[in-house]
Amino acid sequence: MNPLLQELARIALVGIGATAVMDLWLALIRQLGVPTLNFAFIGRWAGHLLRGRWTHDAIAKSPPIPGESALGWLVHYAVGIAFAGVLVAIGGASWMQ
């Protein structure tokens, strides 16, 4: 496998893994009665952003976007992967070794 693709795959796995751990934590605290973020609102925000709307008074009151829940989860995991990429960019590729 190409070394660059291998490095990108590792970054993606670190980002996905870290995000999944965070999701497990959110599921646990939700079971304890703590309100957590609705990822559909992230999808709604991203969907409106793609349509040129940058701000909202309250995203919950903005019109729904088709597929906003799936889009929200996709954005959530993409941000996790991006954070892993920043970590490797700052700490160096040897950090993952």
Side-chain angles (χ1 to χ4, degrees):
M1 180 184 255
N2 180 329
L4 176 61
L5 288 177
Q6 195 171 26
E7 198 67 26
L8 291 174
R10 285 185 182 144
I11 289 169
L13 286 174
V14 167
I16 290 168
T19 305
V21 168
M22 187 178 99
D23 290 340
L24 290 172
W25 175 252
L26 288 173
L28 173 68
I29 65 173
R30 189 177 307 117
Q31 290 297 316
L32 298 173
V34 177
T36 62
L37 180 63
N38 180 351
F39 291 107
F41 290 145
I42 295 173
R44 185 175 298 179
W45 175 81
H48 282 288
L49 183 66
L50 292 172
R51 292 178 170 109
R53 182 156 184 210
W54 294 79
T55 61
H56 304 268
D57 291 330
I59 194 66
K61 294 180 182 177
S62 296
I65 299 292
E68 64 185 23
S69 183
L71 180 59
W73 282 96
L74 180 69
V75 169
H76 172 58
Y77 274 83
V79 168
I81 293 168
F83 280 158
V86 169
L87 177 63
V88 171
I90 291 170
S94 62
W95 175 85
M96 290 198 298
Q97 301 302 325

